[in-house]
């Protein structure tokens, strides 16, 4: 059963990779034509295993296994179907497809569980279109921020406009929220976005917590002047200030434990080959195991940029575009994930802290969350070369199904 299911998952990952907005690579963003097409396809797969499906008011795809009183709490299984630009084919997608197959495997016994089973395919976990992440899962958690309506994509389209163009009603986004008493928990399977499992030769791991995160848009202003006619002592080069700031992010974060900082985008203006850059825009993605350590490091980065810009005759400002607190996985869900892994014969399950963000971070505001990591060779993620083996997917399926059964016994 699980061998066939693992093959089906791998084939469907390949099929979903064809739904993309870019040539020669994978890109699926929130509220796009690809979003609509993939929801239709995944809905068909959900219905194949007996799930009643619907698209909620935030664009997430949901499936409910009938046979339980609708008032009974449900266990959510899932992940996300959106991607970054030039993505791999497993990040998020694997967790949705594994959830569908677990429902297929457990359906004959599910009526005996004290909870129902739901599968959810979230959208905008990555934040690739509007700059802030976890929009779909935040809507389900009831933590939607009205300030998000004014976010814009690279074409200047606001989130509110994109909602309407997709066929969603911005005024009804609150209806996507789930009540805490309606949920028995959330389980997410995901490839590890790092090399730890691969280096320890372990196929699966138990996630203990998920990194806190903050993202900033930073603007550095100088003076655009002629590249040939302006002496070095007269220059106020915004690019050089941004370059120093980028190196400062790396230096300050490398000196810390479990803090990671990344400048993922850097643009200069006017952008001419013969003009000293007068303006630079960059992003800073800052993550840490603990919120207070993350915030302390941002304060240190800010002081460093103050010094850099002051020395170079520049000015700077920043705007926070995303914030998510650290989330600790539920103790019981960690235990049953561990038991599920051990049932496969894979040995003692390693525990690990996730430096990458996941929909579980948002859903943790409304119910307990647990995560299962699958080995990802070399830890490559957000890249076309990310991979997972058929054998590990099969082992992961066995572990996830066993995890749900362990939880059902605990709840009885």
């Amino acid at each position: 059963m699980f061998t066939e299911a693992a093959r089906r998952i791998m084939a469907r990952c390949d099929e979903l990779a064809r739904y993309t907005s870019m040539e020669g690579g994978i890109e699926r963003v929130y509220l796009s034509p690809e979003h609509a097409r993939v929801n239709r396809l995944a809905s068909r797969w959900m219905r194949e295993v007996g799930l009643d499906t619907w698209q909620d008011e935030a664009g997430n795809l949901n499936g409910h296994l009938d046979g339980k009183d609708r008032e009974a709490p449900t266990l959510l299984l899932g992940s996300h179907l959106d991607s970054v630009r030039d993505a791999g084919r497993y990040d998020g997608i694997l967790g949705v497809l594994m959830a569908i197959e677990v429902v297929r495997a457990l359906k004959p016994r599910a009526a005996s569980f004290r909870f129902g089973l739901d599968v959810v395919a979230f959208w905008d976990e990555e934040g690739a279109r509007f700059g802030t992440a976890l929009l779909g899962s935040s809507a389900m958690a009831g933590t939607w921020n009205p300030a998000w309506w004014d976010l814009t994509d690279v074409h200047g389209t606001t989130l509110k406009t994109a909602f309407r163009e997709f066929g969603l009603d911005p005024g009804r986004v609150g209806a996507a929220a789930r009540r805490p008493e309606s949920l028995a928990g959330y389980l997410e399977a995901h490839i590890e976005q790092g090399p730890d499992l691969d280096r320890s030769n372990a196929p699966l791991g138990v996630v203990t917590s998920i990194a806190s995160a903050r993202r900033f848009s930073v603007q550095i202003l100088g003076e655009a002047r002629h590249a040939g006619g302006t002496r070095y002592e007269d220059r106020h080069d915004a690019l050089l200030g941004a370059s120093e700031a980028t190196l400062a992010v790396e230096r300050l974060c490398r000196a810390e434990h479990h803090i990671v900082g990344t400048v993922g985008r850097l643009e200069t203006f006017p952008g001419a080959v013969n003009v000293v850059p007068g303006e630079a825009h960059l992003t800073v993605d800052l993550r840490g195991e603990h919120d207070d350590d993350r915030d302390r490091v941002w304060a240190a980065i800010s002081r460093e940029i103050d010094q850099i810009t002051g020395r170079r005759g520049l000015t700077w400002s920043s705007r926070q575009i995303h914030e998510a607190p650290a989330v600790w996985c539920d103790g019981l869900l960690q235990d049953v994930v561990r038991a599920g892994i051990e049932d496969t014969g894979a040995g003692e399950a390693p525990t690990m802290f996730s430096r990458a963000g996941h929909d579980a971070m948002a859903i943790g505001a409304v119910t307990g969350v647990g995560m299962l990591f699958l080995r990802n060779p070399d830890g490559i993620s957000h890249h076309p070369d990310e991979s997972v083996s058929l054998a590990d997917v099969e082992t992961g399926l066995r572990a996830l199904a066993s995890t749900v059964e362990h939880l059902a016994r605990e709840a009885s």
Side-chain angles (χ1 to χ4, degrees), residues 46-349:
M46 288 185 185
R47 291 194 302 272
E48 278 180 11
V49 302
L51 292 162
D52 295 327
T53 65
W54 72 98
Q55 180 177 273
D56 69 22
E57 291 79 3
N60 302 310
L61 176 64
N62 296 263
H64 176 75
L65 183 62
D66 216 354
K68 273 285 178 194
D69 180 351
R70 285 295 183 119
E71 295 304 311
T74 57
L75 176 67
L76 289 174
L77 303 167
S79 191
H80 64 95
L81 291 177
D82 63 300
S83 80
V84 296
R85 182 170 177 79
D86 205 18
R89 61 189 63 199
Y90 303 109
D91 179 339
I93 290 83
L94 188 70
V96 175
L97 299 180
M98 285 179 65
I100 293 171
E101 294 300 331
V102 165
V103 170
R104 188 194 302 269
L106 295 180
K107 184 179 177 182
R109 311 190 279 288
S112 66
F113 298 168
R114 288 282 186 92
F115 47 77
L117 292 178
D118 278 16
V119 172
V120 59
F122 290 115
W123 280 87
D124 206 55
E125 189 267 2
E126 300 289 5
R129 181 173 182 185
F130 294 101
T132 193
L134 308 175
L135 292 181
S137 46
S138 293
M140 184 171 287
T143 56
W144 187 271
N145 184 348
W148 292 337
W149 293 123
D150 295 326
L151 294 172
T152 59
D153 65 12
V154 294
H155 303 294
T157 302
T158 66
L159 178 57
K160 180 174 280 189
T161 298
F163 249 64
R164 290 175 174 144
E165 291 177 347
F166 191 78
L168 297 172
D169 180 355
R172 288 188 48 76
V173 70
R178 300 280 188 103
R179 294 173 289 107
E181 61 271 20
S182 73
L183 298 173
Y186 171 69
L187 286 173
E188 181 172 356
H190 205 284
I191 60 168
E192 183 199 359
Q193 292 167 289
D196 292 348
L197 287 174
D198 190 36
R199 290 176 181 173
S200 61
N201 197 31
L204 306 172
V206 182
V207 178
T208 56
S209 66
I210 306 169
S212 67
R214 293 177 75 182
R215 292 177 183 171
F216 299 90
S217 175
V218 176
Q219 181 184 57
I220 296 179
L221 296 178
E223 184 181 22
R225 295 182 66 170
H226 194 284
T230 308
R231 299 172 183 269
Y232 280 110
E233 59 267 27
D234 296 328
R235 294 186 179 206
H236 303 290
D237 189 322
L239 174 57
L240 292 181
S243 300
E244 277 200 69
T246 300
L247 292 171
V249 169
E250 180 193 38
R251 173 169 47 80
L252 292 169
C253 292
R254 289 191 70 166
E256 298 283 337
H257 179 65
H258 281 181
I259 296 287
V260 181
T262 303
V263 174
R265 183 183 301 161
L266 175 58
E267 301 174 285
T268 61
F269 304 91
V273 67
N274 59 346
V275 178
V276 175
E279 186 173 344
H281 296 173
L282 61 147
T283 58
V284 178
D285 179 301
L286 189 62
R287 304 169 191 241
E289 186 173 14
H290 300 286
D291 298 353
D292 53 353
D293 288 336
R294 173 206 64 188
D295 295 344
R296 174 178 52 77
V297 172
W298 172 246
I301 291 171
S302 297
R303 289 193 296 271
E304 189 83 7
I305 299 176
D306 279 340
Q307 294 173 11
I308 292 166
T309 54
R311 186 173 64 250
R312 289 185 171 275
L314 309 168
T315 60
W316 78 286
S317 62
S318 67
R319 176 173 60 90
Q320 181 171 285
I321 56 176
H322 172 70
E323 180 175 12
V327 170
W328 294 84
C329 292
D330 178 81
L332 173 59
L333 292 179
Q334 287 187 54
D335 289 345
V336 293
V337 170
R338 184 176 298 105
I341 293 172
E342 291 171 355
D343 285 348
T344 68
E348 185 175 350

